[in-house]
Amino acid sequence: MTPRQRRPAIARKAVLAAAAGTVLWGTLGPAVQAWASFGAAGTAFARAVFAALTLAGVAWSGTTDWAIVRREARRITAGGIGLAGFQYCYFEAVPAVGVSVSTAIAIGLAPVFTGAAAWVTSARPSTPWLLGTCFSLIGLAMMLLGPVESSGRLLAGIVWSTLAAGMFSLQIFAIERCTKTEWPKAAALAWMFAVAGLVLAPLGLPEIAAQWPVDLRELTLVLYLGSITAGLAYWLFAAGAKVIGAPMAATISVLEPATAVLLA
């Protein structure tokens, strides 16, 4: 197979990897709504900690490469803030407007924010991206016609969901930039989740301490949220974003609300 023939195959694999990661993300909201007993901060903090530990275990040598850590400190910090902000805002939105609406707004708006940022900072997004994003938003709007009516469109939930979309866009850009270096994807993501855990700790730790000791159901849930919907899902998504770029990866992420709506 020639290099020219390999490029489409690599692109297809990247799209599938990003799509698989977003489908796993789609299980996040329904799982939290059904079984979580912590508040938004406690759930987000526990998820970030378990995700960091999972990813650090996958790429231990990469996480201790201090030269790269120092060089990528700004991107790590931006990614960590994005991860922390997205999780907290999203977990606040879910109880207010439900899984379907909060996920559709948070992820549906993310490609718009990401594409607009890419337009300003680099170049005009491609025509396929523009068309794909438009059709995706139309599809999400159609899915929301029923859920929005039944949820009452609570203003607080919509605001939290919109803030989550902005944070999601920030984390996508940081992930794309870090994973385009020679640094292992798992190592970069481990550091970002570690930063997210530090950001969330002042709010998350008191919530968890108030419910200590944690029962087996809650422990199983946060293990799933951290290892599967965060560790594995972000690793797959980062593998795809590295090849196809942040705007296209953000558009593919609309599979998350589709999955969440079906499960909800």
Side-chain angles (χ1 to χ4, degrees):
M1 184 180 292
T2 66
R4 186 174 181 178
Q5 292 174 321
R6 280 197 295 268
R7 281 196 291 271
I10 292 172
R12 282 194 296 270
K13 289 180 180 179
V15 169
L16 289 174
T22 58
V23 168
L24 288 176
W25 285 341
T27 67
L28 172 63
V32 169
Q33 187 177 49
W35 293 297
S37 58
F38 295 150
T43 304
F45 170 73
R47 181 175 184 246
V49 169
F50 278 104
L53 292 173
T54 299
L55 291 161
V58 172
W60 175 251
S61 60
T63 59
T64 56
D65 192 333
W66 301 109
I68 298 181
V69 173
R70 287 191 294 269
R71 189 184 69 206
E72 300 294 333
R74 292 175 63 181
R75 291 171 179 170
I76 291 170
T77 302
I81 292 172
L83 288 168
F86 168 73
Q87 292 184 94
Y88 180 78
C89 294
Y90 178 70
F91 292 149
E92 287 284 2
V94 167
V97 290
V99 172
S100 300
V101 177
S102 58
T103 308
I105 294 175
I107 308 303
L109 287 179
V112 179
F113 291 157
T114 307
W119 201 327
V120 171
T121 59
S122 54
R124 181 180 180 273
S126 65
T127 300
W129 177 87
L130 291 170
L131 290 173
T133 299
C134 288
F135 281 118
S136 297
L137 292 175
I138 292 170
L140 289 174
M142 293 174 68
M143 283 197 302
L144 283 175
L145 290 177
V148 168
E149 182 181 354
S150 63
S151 69
R153 291 183 62 102
L154 297 177
L155 180 60
I158 294 171
V159 171
W160 282 119
S161 299
T162 303
L163 289 173
M167 293 293 102
F168 189 83
S169 179
L170 175 62
Q171 73 180 27
I172 287 177
F173 268 111
I175 289 169
E176 182 205 17
R177 297 299 189 271
C178 273
T179 55
K180 281 190 173 180
T181 67
E182 73 278 8
W183 207 14
K185 294 182 292 294
L189 290 166
W191 276 103
M192 288 183 189
F193 273 108
V195 171
L198 289 174
V199 172
L200 292 163
L203 295 175
L205 279 174
E207 280 190 6
I208 294 174
Q211 297 187 39
W212 197 263
V214 178
D215 61 28
L216 181 60
R217 185 192 67 174
E218 191 69 36
L219 180 60
T220 303
L221 175 64
V222 294
L223 277 170
Y224 174 75
L225 296 181
S227 300
I228 305 301
T229 73
L232 177 59
Y234 274 93
W235 186 86
L236 288 168
F237 185 80
K242 179 179 181 179
V243 177
I244 61 179
M248 184 64 74
T251 300
I252 291 172
S253 69
V254 297
L255 284 172
E256 177 179 352
T259 304
V261 167
L262 288 172
L263 292 175

